[in-house]
Amino acid sequence: MSAEAADPGAPLRRRSRPRIDLRRLGRVALRGPVSRDRLPDAISHVAEAHRAHHPDADLTILRRAYVLAESSHRGQMRKSGEPYITHPLAVTLILAELGAETTTLTASLLHDTVEDTEVTLDQVKEQFGDEVCYLVDGVTKLEKVDYGAAAEPETFRKMLVATGNDVRVMSIKLADRLHNMRTLGVMRPEKQARIAKVTRDVLIPLAERLGVQALKTELEDLVFAILHPEEYEETRALIAAATGPDDPLETIADNVTHTLRDAGISAEVLIRPRHFVSVHRVRRKRGELHGTDFGRLLVLVGEDADCYAVLGELHTCFTPVISEFKDFIAAPKFNLYQSLHTAVVGPEGAVAEVLIRTHRMHKVAEAGVVALGNPYAQDPAAAPQTEPSDERADPTRPGWLSRLLDWQESATDPDTFWTTLRDDLAQDREITVFRTDGGTLGLPAGASCVDAAYAQYGDLAHTAIGARVNGRLATLSTVLSDGDTVQPLLAQDTASGPSPDWLDHARTPAARIAITGWFSDHPDEAKPDPETADATGPGAQGEPSPEREVPVGAAPARGRPGPRSNGVVVEGPDAPVRLAGCCTPVPPDELTGFVVRGGAVTVHRRECPAVAAMQEIGRAPVGARWEDGEGRESDAGCRVTLVAESFGRPRLLADLTEAIATADAAIVSATVEPPSEQRVRHTYTLRLPDAAGLPGLMRAMRDVAGVYDVSRAQHPAPTG
């Protein structure tokens, strides 16, 4: 079966099998079941297609399933005027052509019985067993009477959860939608458009992720014809005009065949016409199309090693286009796809794209998870498991399906689930990053350290303060690449929370839902304002900010410091006192304070920009001074933020941190901004045992080669 059929309206079929006449099958179906000793004529073609892939299959259960489906659907008609039984027959034929095993075909014949007839799940279970019952239940729609407008999203949620336990559920759904799309012309235009959009946004991405290219490509073309009829007709005209006896791909295919034969490589060389959407994409990318742009060469061999032998011969005997080479055998796609891609220059400069794969790879490329048969059946040759497991392995690349099932549990609102599902499926590329404990995380391309933190720690990631990427400190906004090693860093205070800015960097639904949920539970934290942000200074929102702060130690909790005097006396009633992180006052700085939520008093340096911001919003200042009026320090020492301006050079960071350590100062957090005109700005939040040592520390930092200024930080006040 070709995944790139030139005509999207043509049914999927093998070249050697004639087109099935569904109207004739409908008339056969109306005659009812036949005797028990032979297969009903109406599914003889399904049996033929099934036996082509599974010669030893027992067809008895298919006969029984057909008898139940035909009798229960008898008298029902489709909107096209055909007997309804033609629909489950057509869906089952699609799956049989793809190589689905008997259980899937049995469930496919029965997939609408529970939904549209008097047959119950208990009857299906009693007659056909637990697996068939599970598959039928998985694709059965929820009633609009019970769910109203939420019926469609909740039906998809139910289907996806069922798919998490058995991917064959989604295989049946995809084949069901394909046949419905083929016969959609009898619907009203507005309903056609609505169904086509759901197919485009949800089912086509799912077909891609499950690797079922044969269904995906035809669904794409059918959607293209409905949603973009003018562009579809233009593409159809281009393909029709390019069809002729002088196909340049034929010439290149003959040359490739002779080349491989001379090299002693047994291979089958085929021409794969592009489907409509593929031609449309190539046209948008390249502009004017040439004869070789309407198809690709497919080379099929027996073994993996033969793929590379073919590649070597092609690159030796033809001029290769190196930029087009991709090795999806050594690094398969997340949807099971394996193949070598290359392009060679043929006669008169024509460039032909070439796909090289084994026959097994080709079957998987066409049918994806359907080609696995029953992916959960025990291999008789495999050693028995010592302990039973309640979890079934994900037959696709581990990651996307598990992530989807995880976040959907948090998306209790149907609209949130539906919107998030579409956004998630729109991210069609994956990366794998490594954890420091040896595990891996599957994330969508473009994911950041925020996503990695939530993927690894769940809600504990609310306390994240930064990360290490490939051993180097990084901010949570850092975008990860395939193969990176990431270690999210969490604050010790479990009461701290995320920053609203994290939503700008989160790509996974799990992270976005968790962050949004936290702010729903903490509405006062949704927007930073002076009375919360001043308490913790840079990085107060949970991410090193505003200067891309990189954590060196545990950062203070977001707006939740414990009550203590900090060596400061404030006027008025007894209340907890905290030193503002935005200006980190130390003796003998002049002070002023403000009462914030919870009755605590936050103390600033008088020249701090936050003071003016608080007064602008009507906050009355509170008098504050150091204890005894002499700046005596508390036993815990003092905290201060310093900014070092320097010229960039090797080992500068190491020399600065050594100078800080020599002065007995502890680094709480640090920022290294990207170099600008060979100049680098470092921001350090430090804890000193005694404020008297601050001038000496600043001198020591200025003495570091390349440093031309060290000053106290003056962070701008946040606005709310």
Side-chain angles (χ1 to χ4, degrees):
M1 185 189 319
S2 172
E4 299 183 73
D7 184 357
L12 298 169
R13 61 185 185 277
R14 293 184 178 277
R15 293 180 180 178
S16 59
R17 185 171 291 113
R19 182 169 181 167
I20 303 301
D21 185 349
L22 289 177
R23 291 186 181 276
R24 180 185 62 80
L25 294 177
R27 291 192 295 271
V28 172
L30 287 175
R31 291 199 291 268
V34 297
S35 61
R36 290 179 175 272
D37 58 348
R38 68 187 183 91
L39 202 67
D41 292 340
I43 59 167
S44 59
H45 56 289
V46 174
E48 179 188 354
H50 187 39
R51 281 280 172 84
H53 293 277
H54 304 276
D56 300 326
D58 182 3
L59 302 179
T60 304
I61 191 171
L62 284 181
R63 188 198 68 80
R64 291 195 293 111
Y66 168 77
V67 169
L68 178 59
E70 187 280 327
S71 60
S72 59
H73 286 298
R74 190 177 299 169
Q76 296 178 347
M77 307 295 287
R78 303 195 79 215
K79 292 194 176 188
S80 60
E82 299 167 332
Y84 195 89
I85 189 62
T86 59
H87 172 64
L89 279 171
V91 173
T92 307
L93 175 62
I94 291 170
L95 291 168
E97 290 278 10
L98 287 171
E101 37 68 60
T102 309
T103 301
T104 303
L105 300 186
T106 303
S108 175
L109 282 169
L110 301 171
H111 79 273
D112 276 339
T113 53
V114 174
E115 181 180 324
D116 295 331
T117 75
E118 299 300 319
V119 175
T120 66
L121 282 174
D122 288 338
Q123 288 176 296
V124 173
K125 183 176 181 179
E126 181 182 350
Q127 295 188 42
F128 300 97
D130 291 338
E131 277 194 295
V132 172
C133 178
Y134 184 86
L135 297 179
V136 172
D137 184 34
V139 295
T140 298
K141 295 178 183 177
L142 298 174
E143 293 290 342
K144 285 189 177 181
V145 174
D146 299 326
Y147 288 85
E152 184 172 37
E154 290 301 330
T155 293
F156 271 97
R157 188 202 297 265
K158 171 175 173 276
M159 246 180 278
L160 288 168
V161 171
T163 299
N165 287 325
D166 198 324
V167 293
R168 293 175 294 180
V169 171
M170 192 54 64
S171 300
I172 296 172
K173 178 59 182 177
L174 291 171
D176 172 65
R177 179 54 60 94
L178 176 57
H179 183 247
N180 283 332
M181 288 293 295
R182 286 176 178 173
T183 57
L184 205 59
V186 297
M187 300 285 189
R188 298 188 310 275
E190 58 270 20
K191 189 167 185 180
Q192 290 185 41
R194 185 186 68 79
I195 295 174
K197 287 176 181 177
V198 173
T199 304
R200 176 196 63 193
D201 295 342
V202 178
L203 287 165
I204 288 175
L206 283 170
E208 169 71 17
R209 293 189 179 203
L210 293 172
V212 195
Q213 295 296 318
L215 303 187
K216 178 219 170 191
T217 51
E218 188 176 351
L219 284 172
E220 280 185 328
D221 284 350
L222 292 166
V223 168
F224 185 39
I226 292 171
L227 298 183
H228 305 282
E230 293 182 0
E231 293 173 314
Y232 174 81
E233 288 302 328
E234 290 178 5
T235 306
R236 177 191 286 276
L238 284 172
I239 293 175
T243 303
D246 300 326
D247 186 353
L249 280 176
E250 291 280 2
T251 302
I252 299 176
D254 289 340
N255 292 341
V256 169
T257 300
H258 291 306
T259 298
L260 298 180
R261 185 184 300 128
D262 293 343
I265 300 174
S266 177
E268 183 180 3
V269 181
L270 305 172
I271 295 177
R272 301 264 293 174
R274 290 185 183 273
H275 64 293
F276 280 57
V277 171
S278 180
V279 172
H280 177 66
R281 288 172 181 158
V282 172
R283 183 188 179 196
R284 292 182 61 183
K285 178 181 178 181
R286 302 177 186 173
E288 183 181 355
L289 296 179
H290 301 90
T292 54
D293 292 330
F294 291 90
R296 291 184 285 190
L297 298 186
L298 172 64
V299 181
L300 298 176
V301 294
E303 305 292 337
D304 289 11
D306 294 336
C307 294
Y308 293 97
V310 169
L311 181 70
E313 288 298 322
L314 293 182
H315 283 194
T316 300
C317 301
F318 298 86
T319 302
V321 182
I322 300 301
S323 62
E324 296 293 327
F325 173 67
K326 297 181 181 68
D327 188 345
F328 294 117
I329 295 178
K333 290 186 179 182
F334 67 90
N335 60 359
L336 307 177
Y337 180 85
Q338 287 185 289
S339 188
L340 294 178
H341 290 203
T342 189
V344 296
V345 180
E348 300 180 0
V351 177
E353 295 182 35
V354 185
L355 312 176
I356 308 168
R357 59 180 72 141
T358 66
H359 290 278
R360 170 64 180 168
M361 291 175 192
H362 181 58
K363 180 179 179 181
V364 174
E366 295 280 276
V369 294
V370 180
L372 299 177
N374 181 356
Y376 312 110
Q378 288 292 326
D379 185 353
Q385 293 183 346
T386 55
E387 295 182 4
S389 174
D390 292 334
E391 295 188 3
R392 288 171 160 174
D394 183 351
T396 64
R397 178 178 175 177
W400 73 267
L401 185 54
S402 297
R403 289 200 311 274
L404 189 154
L405 295 174
D406 287 341
W407 69 251
Q408 68 84 25
E409 292 181 356
S410 304
T412 54
D413 176 63
D415 291 336
T416 300
F417 166 75
W418 197 230
T419 302
T420 307
L421 175 64
R422 296 185 186 200
D423 291 343
D424 188 18
L425 293 176
Q427 303 177 63
D428 58 354
R429 290 180 52 244
E430 273 210 353
I431 62 171
T432 298
V433 298
F434 296 91
R435 295 168 20 178
T436 52
D437 61 4
T440 60
L441 298 173
L443 298 170
S448 67
C449 293
V450 172
D451 299 296
Y454 281 96
Q456 183 168 349
Y457 293 114
D459 287 346
L460 288 177
H462 292 328
T463 65
I465 55 174
R468 290 183 182 272
V469 178
N470 301 325
R472 303 183 65 180
L473 291 165
T475 61
L476 288 170
S477 61
T478 300
V479 176
L480 299 169
S481 300
D482 199 32
D484 281 346
T485 298
V486 60
Q487 178 188 7
L489 304 176
L490 307 183
Q492 295 178 352
D493 186 351
T494 57
S496 56
S499 162
D501 295 339
W502 292 10
L503 290 171
D504 295 333
H505 311 302
R507 294 292 177 270
T508 58
R512 297 186 66 83
I513 290 173
I515 296 167
T516 303
W518 191 90
F519 284 114
S520 296
D521 295 336
H522 303 80
D524 291 340
E525 305 288 350
K527 280 189 175 183
D529 59 36
E531 74 174 52
T532 55
D534 65 1
T536 53
Q541 303 305 319
E543 179 180 341
S545 66
E547 296 142 351
R548 298 182 62 80
E549 181 179 356
V550 179
V552 174
R558 182 178 189 267
R560 292 181 177 84
R564 57 184 182 180
S565 69
N566 286 299
V568 174
V569 177
V570 297
E571 299 174 359
D574 185 24
V577 176
R578 56 193 182 192
L579 301 179
C582 54
C583 57
T584 56
V586 297
D589 295 333
E590 294 185 354
L591 306 177
T592 188
F594 294 91
V595 178
V596 297
R597 278 194 296 267
V601 176
T602 298
V603 176
H604 299 258
R605 295 164 62 190
R606 284 190 181 176
E607 62 268 30
C608 176
V611 172
M614 296 287 272
Q615 291 174 333
E616 286 178 3
I617 63 174
R619 294 294 178 87
V622 174
R625 60 178 175 80
W626 298 108
E627 284 186 1
D628 299 332
E630 298 179 358
R632 183 171 60 82
E633 283 301 299
S634 67
D635 294 338
C638 68
R639 186 165 171 263
V640 64
T641 300
L642 300 179
V643 177
E645 306 280 354
S646 64
F647 297 104
R649 66 169 178 84
R651 289 191 53 80
L652 174 63
L653 182 61
D655 291 344
L656 269 170
T657 54
E658 182 178 353
I660 293 170
T662 303
D664 294 329
I667 301 176
V668 176
S669 60
T671 299
V672 180
E673 295 185 36
S676 175
E677 298 181 352
Q678 299 300 315
R679 299 185 182 188
V680 182
R681 180 175 179 171
H682 303 245
T683 303
Y684 298 93
T685 299
L686 310 171
R687 184 168 296 282
L688 285 75
D690 191 323
L694 179 58
L697 170 62
M698 295 175 70
R699 284 195 300 271
M701 293 174 66
R702 290 191 188 101
D703 289 340
V704 173
V707 177
Y708 58 84
D709 187 31
V710 176
S711 61
R712 298 279 297 278
Q714 290 285 351
H715 300 297
T719 58

